[in-house]
Amino acid sequence: MPDLEQALDALAGRVSSLREARTAYPADLAPTLDAALAELDTAAELLAEAREALQKAPKRAGGKKDGAQRELKLLRQVFRAFPVPVIVLDSGGVVRRINPETSQMLGSPDGYLVGRSFPLLVDVSRRAAFRSHLTAVLQTGQPSAFETRLAHQGRTHTVQLALTRMTMPGEPQQMVAAVALPTEVQLPEPGAGRPEQSDGALLLAAAKRQDLLVKMANLLLEEESLLRPVALPRATRLLAAEWADWVIADMVRGGVPRRAVVVAPKNHPLGDLVRQVESADPAGSQAVMEVLERGSGVVQEMLDDDSLLGFCADGPLLTAMGAGSMLCVPIGSGDGVLTLVRAHDRRPFALADLAVMQEVGLQLGLAVRAQASFQNRSRAADALSASVAPRTLPNVPGYEAAAVYHPGASVGAEFYDVFPVSCGWGFALGGAVGKGEEAASVSAMVRGGLRVLGVWESDPDLVIRKVNEALVAQGAGMFVMAVAGFVKGREIRLSSAGHHPAALLQADGGVRFAAGGGVPLGLAPEAETSVERLTVAVGETLVLYSDGLISSRNELGEPYGEERLADVLGRCAGQSPSTVVKALEADRHAFSGGQVWDEIVILALRGV
């Protein structure tokens, strides 16, 4: 078919001229587009002539197959040589063919978009219009042209899009040829390849992902992320700043996913759309529920279903958000789902992004669980501390009281209390020998026992003995050092069970220690206590203290001791109880360099 070959050669020449014209006059593309459409018609006519000639040719075995292959070969030759971006779509808008000009314009590899939905490349506001134009062209056969934006791989082009119905050999359905002529041309620099294909760009992307993991780890390991519920908001803000336009965190509470955090683009007003995203039920999101069910992440490089994240008043959430690609990963092990959304004009998420976000989700889940565990323990420790130390001290007639309590390095077991008894007022100080929650609960039990029994008994020693019986019967396996005193006028009756002796600061600065002693509670059914009566005159102060005070050590390993205690007390003669306990606290702090290993408890009662 020499005439056909000559026509093809002429077509190739005209295509080459059009290509040169487009390059030479990028600001005046309308004539080039008109000419390109005319050449499309010419190519279609040539194909029709070739088909007619092939049909008239002598039949050979397999001739029909050979003829179709020749037609396809001819079409491919014309299609690939065409100087403007051309895409062949089926009736559903799915890309069936794409020429090199289109791949170069959109920044995608040859053939990458084949099999994907072309409307996903169209600006969200024009998608419905595009589908209407596509349907009209297929039904009427009349060409259609309109302006729109195409976005892919971080590139955005405003194009004049022309749609023409066509029939392709071997295809049972009619196709549509879409010619996309950019009205704003972005020509690649000579010799420039796709950035993501260069080794340097790959290394830079890998370094960026690694940097994100380091930043995330540092953020989640900060002390404040454990002390306060800030890990989730901070992590989502970091991702929004560097990785996505929208970041959404949904946490599972009570077996149901609940929306916890929504971070919108920085330039997005805090308006109706943000509130709609925040109020949307994640249980209605197909993507969120799929990730929770599968326990693994998903990535949508090109969103083909705008309903994956659910709906709002304006329709699909992803449409309202202008989403171009989306990534969802689990937070921890079924603790929640992290969703990242990028707009059409940004490079879409890829499998490498999914891998790094899977790691981020795992780290975030561990941090959230650690935070919950830490806060639960902190609340338990606060509750235990409240159970062994009163928030305020009551007014005891004839006396002024003050106390100081410093927790140790771990949950301790010291307690102190001032409480009403059958004959007036009582006080107590002590602690279980041990550390942790069990020791604190035993101390709380002793403190509660002293309070309850003091309502019926007028003798502190009898109260101490009954508490001992109860402690032994409970089989706690711990013993408790304690001292209890009942006030009656200027007389104080003391009962000591293995506790340090109380110190009496006299008005002239002299310090006298009580007997103290006895055997700690909980060792034997019959308590061995030390009983004593003291008179606290006006201006004198009775001081009780824990083992943590006198056992504090300095940098040389020397103990604080009772002698130093007496020296400090002697300098506080005539001072108020609050001044006395603060002086002791400050001196101990200076002595031990601020270190506190065991709990420090000081209780002072001054006669007034």
Side-chain angles (χ1 to χ4, degrees), residues 470-557:
L471 190 59
V472 173
Q474 289 291 328
M478 287 190 177
F479 58 92
V480 179
M481 297 188 300
V483 58
F486 286 7
V487 177
K488 187 176 182 181
R490 289 298 162 200
E491 184 179 84
I492 295 179
R493 288 170 293 169
L494 290 176
S495 177
S496 175
H499 204 274
H500 295 285
L504 181 62
L505 172 60
Q506 297 171 325
D508 60 0
V511 177
R512 181 168 64 88
F513 285 94
V519 176
L521 304 176
L523 291 179
E526 291 293 331
E528 296 183 21
T529 60
S530 174
V531 181
E532 189 172 1
R533 292 175 183 267
L534 297 174
T535 299
V536 179
V538 174
E540 294 185 333
T541 303
L542 184 67
V543 179
L544 295 92
Y545 49 92
S546 67
D547 182 69
L549 174 65
I550 61 173
S551 296
S552 295
R553 296 183 178 274
N554 60 14
E555 60 182 8
L556 300 177

Side-chain angles (χ1 to χ4, degrees), residues 201-213:
L202 288 173
L203 288 173
L204 185 62
K208 184 178 179 181
R209 295 186 182 100
Q210 186 64 33
D211 182 59
L212 173 68
L213 290 177

Side-chain angles (χ1 to χ4, degrees), residues 169-203:
E171 293 289 349
Q173 60 177 330
Q174 289 183 321
M175 300 289 181
V176 171
V179 178
L181 190 65
T183 58
E184 296 179 5
V185 178
Q186 298 180 10
L187 294 176
E189 296 180 4
R194 293 178 68 239
E196 62 273 22
Q197 291 180 332
S198 68
D199 291 341
L202 288 173
L203 288 173

Side-chain angles (χ1 to χ4, degrees), residues 233-496:
R234 285 185 172 182
T236 51
R237 285 197 298 270
L238 174 61
L239 293 174
E242 301 187 8
W243 219 258
D245 294 302
W246 291 83
V247 181
I248 303 171
D250 299 313
M251 301 303 297
V252 176
R253 294 166 183 160
V256 179
R258 310 275 186 191
R259 187 128 297 169
V261 179
V262 173
V263 182
K266 289 183 179 180
N267 59 352
H268 196 284
L270 186 61
D272 187 55
L273 178 57
V274 176
R275 286 191 290 270
Q276 290 188 65
V277 177
E278 290 174 339
S279 60
D281 183 6
S285 167
Q286 178 184 339
V288 171
M289 299 309 292
E290 179 182 345
V291 169
L292 285 175
E293 182 179 349
R294 292 171 47 186
S296 59
V298 295
V299 60
Q300 294 278 342
E301 294 183 57
M302 296 180 62
L303 284 164
D304 54 8
D305 185 356
D306 285 348
S307 67
L308 286 175
L309 209 58
F311 295 84
C312 63
D314 299 328
L317 270 177
L318 289 172
T319 301
M321 296 161 70
S325 63
M326 183 181 72
L327 185 152
C328 295
V329 295
I331 296 175
S333 178
D335 297 312
V337 175
L338 185 66
T339 301
L340 282 73
V341 175
R342 280 181 182 169
H344 287 276
D345 55 357
R346 292 190 62 180
R347 189 178 301 279
F349 290 113
L351 287 176
D353 301 318
L354 177 63
V356 74
M357 286 304 150
Q358 291 263 148
E359 181 64 26
V360 167
L362 178 61
Q363 290 183 7
L364 188 55
L366 292 174
V368 170
R369 289 202 171 193
Q371 174 187 293
S373 176
F374 184 87
Q375 289 181 340
N376 287 338
R377 287 182 172 271
S378 179
R379 283 192 291 268
D382 290 342
L384 286 171
S385 296
S387 69
V388 297
R391 295 184 181 276
T392 58
L393 292 176
N395 294 320
V396 178
Y399 293 87
E400 184 181 357
V404 64
Y405 174 87
H406 272 299
S410 60
V411 177
E414 294 289 341
F415 70 90
Y416 74 94
D417 202 2
V418 176
F419 49 90
V421 296
S422 61
C423 58
W425 289 89
F427 58 86
L429 188 145
V433 178
K435 296 292 180 186
E437 298 174 5
E438 185 180 2
S441 64
V442 169
S443 290
M445 181 177 66
V446 171
R447 179 196 176 204
L450 294 173
R451 268 182 163 264
V452 171
L453 292 173
V455 175
W456 286 283
E457 302 292 344
S458 59
D459 184 355
D461 191 58
L462 187 57
V463 171
I464 283 281
R465 290 178 180 276
K466 287 187 176 182
V467 168
N468 178 73
E469 292 176 13
L471 190 59
V472 173
Q474 289 291 328
M478 287 190 177
F479 58 92
V480 179
M481 297 188 300
V483 58
F486 286 7
V487 177
K488 187 176 182 181
R490 289 298 162 200
E491 184 179 84
I492 295 179
R493 288 170 293 169
L494 290 176
S495 177
S496 175

